[in-house]
Amino acid sequence: MPTAIAVTSSDLVLPPHDRQTPPAVVLRSLESLEDSTTGMHALIEQHGYVIALYPASAPAGVGRRLHAVRSVLESDRIALLGLDLPPLGLALLAQQLRQLSACDFSPGVLASSARLLAHYIYAGAQLTSVARLDRVPVSLRSHAKSWVPGAQFAVLATPRPQLVRVGQGDLTGPEFGTRMLVAPGQLPADWVTGTLAPAWRVQGVATVPLPAESARWWGTGKLAEFAAGLHDVSVLYQLVSSVRREECHWCGLELIGDRCGFCAAPLSPGPSRSNGLPKAAARAASSVRALPRGAV
C-alpha cells in the first residue's frame, strides 16, 4: 500500500485526477484521543507510513492533538506537516502528494518534497476587503481603500505575496503550465475565471467547494479563492526526482531539502547546499521556471 496522505478536514480532499491517484485520509480532530490514536495506529498498520498535512493557521488544538497521538504511539512513521499555505493551496498540495504516493518514492522523500512542491503553488483570492487580512502584507493605503464601496482586491499569498486592486494591476503568475482550482465563496469567481486564468494561460480550470477555513484565513467570507499548480504527475515526478537525496542522520530515512519530514531533524550544513535546499533543488526549480507559459 502507498504511504497514506492525511488531512484534517474533508474539504481539503480534492477529487482525484485518475484512478491511479490514491484517496486521502481525513483525520477527525473532534474524536477522542483514544479514537484518534486507534485510527492512526490502523493507518500505520495498513500503509506503513502516514504523512499528515494541516494548516499552520489552524487552532492550536489541532496541532496539539496530532502531536499527542504521535507521542502516545511513540512512532517514527508519522510525519506532521503544518504548512503556511492558504486552505485551497494546502488541498492542492495534498492532491499532488497523493499523486506522487503512487510512484516509487520512499516515504521520507515524499514527506520532505512537500516544502519543495509548495514553492510552485500560486495560491490567492479575490476579496472585497483586506481590513482583517493579516497573512499578507497590506499597506495603510490598501486598508483605507477597503472601506470604499465596491472595492475589490486580488491577493497572492504564495509563492511571493502580492496585493493589487482589481482592474488596477496584475498578479504575477507562474511561468510554467498549471491547472487552476477556483472556490467561490460569497463572491462570484467571474474575475478569476474570466480575467486571471486567461492571463496566466492555465491549462484548465476546475471549480471546487470553498474550504471552511478559508474565511478565517483571508479575514472575510466575501471572497473567491484560487490555487494554480502543477497537475501532470510526470512533471511532478521529474521535479522531485531531480533533487539530490540525503539520509537523515537521526532516523535514517531518505530526504530532499534541508530537513527530514518525519523527525524534523535538520540536515548538517555543507558546501553543496544553499538557501535551505540542495543545489539540485535550485537546478530543478530553474528547469520548471524555464518552461514556456502554458507548457508542461
Side-chain angles (χ1 to χ4, degrees), residues 59-81:
V62 174
R64 284 199 299 264
R65 169 58 61 84
L66 291 173
H67 282 83
V69 168
R70 186 170 65 178
S71 296
V72 170
L73 292 175
E74 297 183 340
S75 175
D76 58 359
R77 296 189 175 191
I78 305 172
L80 302 179
L81 306 180

Side-chain angles (χ1 to χ4, degrees), residues 2-84:
T3 299
I5 307 300
V7 293
T8 53
S9 174
S10 59
D11 54 19
L12 296 178
V13 180
L14 298 174
H17 285 309
D18 49 47
R19 294 182 179 179
Q20 284 70 45
T21 302
V25 177
V26 179
L27 303 174
R28 306 294 180 182
S29 60
L30 297 180
E31 294 179 346
S32 67
L33 178 58
E34 181 180 358
D35 290 340
S36 298
T37 303
T38 301
M40 184 68 78
H41 181 265
L43 284 177
I44 296 174
E45 288 294 308
Q46 182 180 2
H47 295 271
Y49 291 85
V50 178
I51 300 174
L53 308 179
Y54 65 97
S57 61
V62 174
R64 284 199 299 264
R65 169 58 61 84
L66 291 173
H67 282 83
V69 168
R70 186 170 65 178
S71 296
V72 170
L73 292 175
E74 297 183 340
S75 175
D76 58 359
R77 296 189 175 191
I78 305 172
L80 302 179
L81 306 180
L83 298 163
D84 196 18

Side-chain angles (χ1 to χ4, degrees), residues 112-234:
S112 55
S113 70
R115 292 178 62 204
L116 173 64
L117 297 175
H119 286 295
Y120 298 94
I121 292 178
Y122 283 68
Q126 178 187 0
L127 311 173
T128 58
S129 172
V130 293
R132 297 183 178 180
L133 179 62
D134 59 2
R135 303 194 178 278
V136 175
V138 180
S139 66
L140 290 176
R141 186 176 182 182
S142 295
H143 269 296
K145 288 182 178 180
S146 288
W147 300 101
V148 178
Q152 293 191 8
F153 300 86
V155 185
L156 190 65
T158 60
R160 291 173 294 277
Q162 188 179 0
L163 187 154
V164 299
R165 189 167 177 180
V166 171
Q168 298 183 6
D170 299 317
L171 293 181
T172 303
E175 297 183 352
F176 49 88
T178 62
R179 180 173 179 263
M180 178 178 283
L181 301 173
V182 181
Q186 298 177 23
L187 188 67
D190 297 346
W191 177 82
V192 177
T193 58
T195 300
L196 184 65
W200 284 6
R201 300 180 185 176
V202 300
Q203 298 173 332
V205 177
T207 301
V208 297
L210 184 72
E213 178 71 9
S214 295
R216 194 168 73 90
W217 204 96
W218 294 103
T220 177
K222 296 182 178 180
L223 80 157
E225 192 173 9
F226 58 85
L230 299 167
H231 63 97
D232 189 314
V233 67
S234 64

Side-chain angles (χ1 to χ4, degrees), residues 234-265:
S234 64
V235 178
L236 291 167
Y237 184 90
Q238 180 184 11
L239 176 62
V240 174
S241 62
S242 64
V243 182
R244 176 180 173 179
R245 303 183 188 187
E246 307 278 358
E247 182 178 295
C248 177
H249 67 88
W250 184 259
C251 68
L253 291 176
E254 279 188 313
L255 62 90
I256 61 174
D258 63 353
R259 186 173 298 275
C260 178
F262 279 86
C263 70

